[in-house]
């Protein structure tokens, strides 16, 4: 049976809008090719569905160029969901757009009221705790408000620091099973993963760190053969998805879905 931490009956995704060409990015390396972006998104949804999960594909939101990165809008836990408060001003309204869909799945739906900010890309839920990295998008007030909510549900939240120049905490790490984390060397060096089993991305393949363990498979971006080999040798079943266009918008595997188990 799949590790319960990585078992998901449902996922929510959102189609990329044509306006995604205007999405936020730290460095401009060119506009995404929309046909390729759509094909990659389709492949991602197919891969999630192939594990047996029910996957909702929401329509594009043209007013929010980054809205396909749904992970930043909410945190889904077994006890309920939290509507987050994205720290990028152009993304703040995306959270309210997600609320009606989550309300169809969760009876206990809470929200970060502010004034702080939290984006889901900064949250790693492991088998023993919820790690939240402060970043340019997630601040101390937002983390404190989230900590109060999840404590009410019996979860321990540990605040850590996302290294400067890294967009989100999970840009550089992902959960492979309850006790195992895939991480870049630079994030592991910050010392935030004590007690976990770590697998490091290969040198020069730091962009492979953002994967998702979804039921029995690990979805990872294509084009990182040495990291893929490490994961394969460790016994994980890999599904590689082209991420070249999402990467132009600083997006990756985790950003494209909200995942939860309501079975
Ligand atoms: N383009 C994704 C983000 O910056 O939030």
């Amino acid at each position: 049976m799949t590790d319960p931490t990585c078992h998901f009956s449902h996922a929510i995704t959102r189609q990329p809008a044509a306006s995604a060409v205007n999405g936020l990015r730290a460095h401009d390396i060119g506009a995404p090719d929309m046909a390729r972006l759509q094909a990659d998104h389709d492949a991602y949804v197919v891969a999630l569905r192939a594990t047996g999960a029910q996957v909702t594909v929401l329509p594009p939101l043209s007013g929010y160029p980054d809205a396909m990165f749904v992970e930043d809008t909410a945190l889904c836990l077994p006890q309920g969901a939290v509507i987050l408060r994205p720290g990028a001003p152009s993304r703040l309204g995306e959270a309210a757009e997600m609320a009606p869909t989550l309300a169809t799945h969760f009876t206990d739906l809470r929200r970060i009221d502010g004034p702080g900010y939290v984006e889901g890309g900064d949250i790693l839920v492991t088998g023993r705790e919820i790690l939240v990295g402060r970043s340019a998008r997630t601040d101390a007030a937002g983390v404190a408000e989230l900590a109060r909510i999840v404590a009410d549900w019996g979860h321990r939240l540990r605040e850590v620091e996302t290294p400067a120049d890294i967009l989100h905490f999970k840009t550089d790490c992902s959960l492979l099973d309850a006790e195992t984390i895939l991480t870049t060397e630079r994030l592991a060096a910050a010392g935030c993963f004590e007690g976990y089993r770590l697998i490091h991305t290969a040198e020069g393949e730091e962009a492979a760190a953002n994967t998702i363990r979804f039921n029995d498979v690990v979805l990872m971006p294509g084009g990182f053969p040495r990291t893929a080999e490490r994961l394969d040798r460790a016994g994980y079943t890999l599904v590689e998805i082209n991420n070249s266009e999402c990467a132009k918008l600083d997006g990756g595997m985790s950003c494209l879905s909200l995942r939860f188990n309501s079975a």
Side-chain angles (χ1 to χ4, degrees):
M1 173 182 155
T2 311
D3 179 337
T5 315
C6 306
H7 180 65
F8 302 106
S9 59
H10 289 75
I12 300 172
T13 67
R14 188 182 288 287
Q15 292 278 8
S19 61
V21 292
N22 301 317
L24 297 173
R25 65 207 77 174
H27 306 286
D28 197 350
I29 55 167
D33 175 311
M34 289 308 295
R36 185 74 214 241
L37 184 66
Q38 182 64 59
D40 295 342
H41 195 272
D42 292 347
Y44 181 89
V45 170
V46 166
L48 297 184
R49 284 185 174 146
T51 73
Q54 187 180 313
V55 182
T56 301
V57 182
L58 296 171
L61 285 177
S62 59
Y64 295 101
D66 289 296
M68 68 176 157
F69 301 125
V70 289
E71 178 177 59
D72 292 312
T73 65
L75 172 64
C76 299
L77 294 169
Q79 298 81 5
V82 185
I83 305 293
L84 299 176
R85 199 157 182 270
S90 67
R91 302 198 58 191
L92 187 57
E94 291 176 27
E97 297 283 349
M98 183 56 72
T101 303
L102 288 175
T104 68
H105 293 281
F106 291 92
T107 48
D108 196 348
L109 187 58
R110 307 194 188 182
R111 70 190 65 237
I112 300 293
D113 291 323
Y117 299 97
V118 190
E119 293 194 358
D122 285 313
I123 304 174
L124 183 74
V125 180
T126 78
R128 65 174 95 145
E129 61 185 343
I130 299 175
L131 284 162
V132 185
R134 271 198 321 273
S135 71
R137 304 282 187 84
T138 293
D139 63 15
V143 178
E145 190 175 352
L146 183 63
R148 287 193 292 275
I149 294 172
V150 300
D152 199 35
W153 288 334
H155 292 276
R156 186 173 92 92
L157 184 153
R158 180 157 63 94
E159 183 175 328
V160 293
E161 192 72 44
T162 302
D165 302 330
I166 297 176
L167 173 62
H168 285 133
F169 185 63
K170 277 193 308 210
T171 302
D172 268 38
C173 68
S174 40
L175 191 78
L176 295 171
D177 58 50
E179 293 294 327
T180 310
I181 291 171
L182 174 67
T183 178
T184 60
E185 297 274 2
R186 65 189 173 196
L187 182 57
C192 51
F193 296 135
E194 201 177 323
Y196 288 96
R197 186 167 80 107
L198 300 183
I199 297 178
H200 295 99
T201 53
E203 192 182 346
E205 293 192 353
E206 287 73 17
N210 181 268
T211 71
I212 53 168
R213 172 72 190 274
F214 191 86
N215 297 324
D216 291 334
V217 300
V218 173
L219 268 67
M220 72 173 290
F224 301 101
R226 287 173 297 130
T227 302
E229 192 189 333
R230 288 179 186 187
L231 295 176
D232 183 57
R233 255 193 277 121
Y236 297 101
T237 302
L238 304 179
V239 176
E240 295 187 38
I241 306 280
N242 182 65
N243 194 53
S244 58
E245 307 316 296
C246 260
K248 291 174 182 170
L249 304 172
D250 303 331
M253 296 295 112
S254 77
C255 315
L256 292 172
S257 59
L258 287 170
R259 304 163 293 278
F260 54 94
N261 185 23
S262 70

